[in-house]
Amino acid sequence: MSSVYFLWIAGKSQPGKGSLIPIEDPSTGKVFAGCHSASQEDVDAAVSAGNLAYKSGVWSRASRHHRADILEKCATLLTEALPELIDLEVKQTGRVIREMKAQVPSLVRWFKYYASLLRVEERSVLPTSGKLHNFTERLPLGVVVQITSFNHPLLIAVKKLAPALAAGNSVILKPSELTPLTSLLLGKILKEAGIPDGVFSVLPGQGSTTGQYLVTHPLVRKVDITGSTNAGKAIGKVAGATYVDTQPNLGEKRH
């Protein structure tokens, strides 16, 4: 095992208190890295940091143009990191190099799109009568959890992450325990771009432990999952009991 990856919590790379996860190259069957997993204590730390950042307003109440500028910077730094990300994505997923060279660069567009949307989105002013002004105001929810599957780690993560950040939320990403490494690198890229500490954390781990801790945490306001049907049912049941909003997106199974 040549490399060991830590958690990304509140703008820092930190060792996790859970077990070490072996990361295997599916093309060879060999373990080439290890990754720390998040314990309940790690989840509490990340959610608390996200909630504090949200309440502080450092991101949630920042101007739309400021958030747009940061997302544009995310796109620029992601572009610069593409060679490293593509190589690691190929190694942890076992997918062909040609596919990843076509797919991973497309992720830059998601940050650019939501940066542009922040600058040009118009809000409805609804008709009314009397001395009233009736308009639509969109507000961030708070701490949101995004759970992704093994098959397209960065693609699925960024498609969820860019709009959630654009809206002003604090995001905790739990990547698949099979392919968590590129998501952890994304944490460093976003920090360099100017995402405030606490606004984005990455917590690898098993769904039955790390995932369970996240979806049952009382400060989590929304859960978005891409995964198996069984996982979606289980998370929907738990989140429904605590009135957490869920958005399922069923993925494929790894054989």
Side-chain angles (χ1 to χ4, degrees):
M1 189 181 298
S2 59
S3 302
V4 175
Y5 291 74
F6 289 171
L7 312 179
W8 183 260
I9 299 179
K12 297 179 182 179
S13 183
Q14 302 183 30
K17 295 178 173 61
S19 58
L20 190 67
I21 304 170
I23 308 300
E24 179 183 293
D25 181 345
S27 67
T28 64
K30 294 181 179 179
V31 172
F32 70 92
C35 180
H36 284 222
S37 63
S39 67
Q40 186 166 9
E41 185 178 345
D42 297 320
V43 168
D44 287 339
V47 175
S48 295
N51 190 54
L52 285 173
Y54 168 71
K55 286 187 172 182
S56 75
V58 65
W59 184 253
S60 59
R61 293 194 296 273
S63 74
R64 297 163 65 87
H65 287 286
H66 174 72
R67 294 204 303 268
D69 289 342
I70 299 300
L71 292 182
E72 285 278 7
K73 183 65 172 178
C74 289
T76 299
L77 295 179
L78 184 61
T79 300
E80 295 173 0
L82 284 176
E84 180 183 8
L85 290 171
I86 290 170
D87 287 346
L88 190 54
E89 196 81 329
V90 168
K91 198 163 189 178
Q92 70 174 356
T93 63
R95 290 185 175 273
V96 296
I97 297 174
R98 181 173 60 184
E99 179 187 8
M100 290 297 100
K101 284 186 174 180
Q103 182 185 106
V104 176
S106 70
L107 305 184
V108 173
R109 293 199 295 267
W110 289 90
F111 285 113
K112 289 184 175 180
Y113 171 79
Y114 283 100
S116 299
L117 187 62
L118 278 171
R119 294 189 175 103
V120 302
E121 182 185 17
E122 298 179 355
R123 305 176 187 181
S124 300
V125 178
L126 306 177
T128 187
S129 60
K131 297 180 179 180
L132 300 172
H133 186 63
N134 195 356
F135 63 95
T136 300
E137 178 75 8
R138 299 186 185 275
L139 299 173
L141 292 171
V143 180
V144 300
V145 168
Q146 300 178 339
I147 300 174
T148 57
S149 61
F150 72 93
N151 50 332
H152 298 285
L154 272 180
L155 175 65
I156 296 171
V158 170
K159 287 171 70 174
K160 297 176 187 291
L161 181 60
L165 289 177
N169 295 292
S170 295
V171 180
I172 299 177
L173 174 63
K174 194 206 85 65
S176 166
E177 67 276 8
L178 299 172
T179 54
L181 304 184
T182 48
S183 297
L184 290 166
L185 294 187
L186 193 60
K188 297 178 181 180
I189 293 171
L190 267 55
K191 178 181 174 67
E192 186 179 350
I195 296 294
D197 292 350
V199 172
F200 180 58
S201 294
V202 184
L203 301 182
Q206 300 289 336
S208 59
T209 53
T210 305
Q212 180 80 359
Y213 301 145
L214 283 167
V215 301
T216 58
H217 199 287
L219 293 179
V220 169
R221 299 296 307 279
K222 184 179 180 68
V223 176
D224 183 307
I225 173 177
T226 300
S228 69
T229 301
N230 288 337
K233 287 180 179 178
I235 291 173
K237 183 178 180 179
V238 172
T242 55
Y243 301 102
V244 174
D245 188 15
T246 59
Q247 180 176 328
N249 181 6
L250 303 182
E252 61 186 85
K253 295 180 179 180
R254 184 168 189 169
H255 301 286

